Structures are given as C-alpha cells and as structure tokens.
Amino acid sequence: MNRKARPSERPAPQLDELSRKIIEQLQEDGRRPYATIGKAVGLSEAAVRQRVQRLSESGVIQIVAVTDPLQVGMFRQAMITITVDGPIEPVAEALAEMNDIDYVVIAVGRFDIICEAVCEDDAALLDLISNRIRTLPGVRSAETLVYLKLIKQTYQWNSH
C-alpha cells in the first residue's frame, strides 16, 4: 500500500521563499524547464533541479499528469461520505486500495470518511457502493453525492 506518513509522523519541512516560488512555477506548468524556473526565481538551473529533487524526496511536492476523467471514458464522479462503527482507519485503508476511489480522508463531524469515486458509468458506481463499500466490515452508512457539473478544480497552492 502506498500510505503517506501522517503529519504527526514526520516534521513539517520549512520552505523558504525560493522554494515557494519554485513550487508556484511548477504549479503553473509542471513541465516548465528548470532553466526557465531558474530565471524566474534567480537561481541556476542546477540549483533549481536540486531543490525540486529535495522537495520531491521529502514529500512536499509530486509532479504528476492530471487527467480529465470525461476525456478518458470515466463519466460518473461522486463524493461518498461514510460513517463507521468501530475503528475508522481499517475502513479508510480498504477504500484507499480500491481502484475506483482516488481520494480518501478521515474527517471529524457528521461523517468519519470522505472519499471520491471516479467510475465509467452509473452501473460501475452502483457496484462500487453496493457491493464493495457497503459490504466492508465496519461501514454503517454511505451517502453518495453524484457530481453533475465540475465548475472548478485547481491544484494551485497559495504560498502567501
């Protein structure tokens, strides 16, 4: 399982102004050349490369390709809120292992877990909810909020 360390398990890295500027450059274009970033932030290409490598190795950033689910045949997206009886983490970990689920968070409040599902169609979403999520040991209830239209999705981080 590709589990990230909890915030309490690792110290928060201290980001200086140059690292923040590099991150902003990469958020605008994750394929932006290091030389271009260097010119924008006042560092050499090699210095930018080293900083990006350290930021990546420390888990501060990931550079990934983000797909549009509709463009790759995934026509049904939904947020699923789950209430659990008993320990929450085993349920969250089981959800994280499911291919149709791309986001899992343990929450405080009305729901114990919030996750996002991206499925091919309504039948696939129904199968996920009915046969895989609701049958997990500990799941008391699952409420599904189907997305009708995506208005905004951003990966920008406001460093200020």
Side-chain angles (χ1 to χ4, degrees):
M1 180 169 61
N2 186 11
R3 184 178 83 81
K4 301 244 185 226
R6 291 181 195 90
S8 61
E9 293 176 349
R10 63 176 181 217
Q14 298 299 315
L15 297 179
D16 62 12
E17 190 61 29
L18 285 172
S19 291
R20 290 176 188 276
K21 288 180 179 179
I22 291 169
I23 292 169
E24 287 173 358
Q25 292 284 312
L26 289 169
Q27 285 178 323
E28 289 175 13
D29 180 357
R31 298 184 312 158
R32 184 167 287 160
Y34 293 145
T36 304
I37 295 171
K39 288 177 186 172
V41 303
L43 290 175
S44 70
E45 178 181 351
V48 170
R49 181 179 294 109
Q50 289 173 346
R51 280 183 180 250
V52 170
Q53 184 174 350
R54 280 196 308 264
L55 290 167
S56 181
E57 288 172 355
S58 68
V60 171
I61 64 170
Q62 285 183 319
I63 300 173
V64 298
V66 178
T67 59
D68 177 347
L70 296 175
Q71 298 298 320
V72 294
M74 306 301 274
F75 296 106
R76 179 54 66 216
Q77 292 179 268
M79 188 68 60
I80 304 167
T81 58
I82 299 166
T83 306
V84 175
D85 286 325
I88 298 168
E89 286 191 18
V91 176
E93 290 170 1
L95 292 165
E97 292 295 321
M98 295 181 186
N99 289 335
D100 293 331
I101 295 178
D102 65 0
Y103 174 83
V104 178
V105 64
I106 294 175
V108 173
R110 183 173 159 197
F111 305 107
D112 299 312
I113 299 171
I114 301 170
C115 61
E116 181 180 61
V118 180
C119 299
E120 185 176 326
D121 54 26
D122 288 338
L125 179 61
L126 177 61
D127 176 65
L128 174 67
I129 296 163
S130 185
N131 298 322
R132 294 192 281 150
I133 293 176
R134 290 183 183 265
T135 60
L136 286 174
V139 170
R140 181 184 338 144
S141 65
E143 184 174 334
T144 305
L145 305 137
V146 175
Y147 298 175
L148 297 177
K149 182 178 181 182
L150 178 64
I151 302 298
K152 178 181 181 180
Q153 183 173 24
T154 183
Y155 298 96
Q156 299 296 314
W157 167 60
N158 185 355
S159 65
H160 305 293

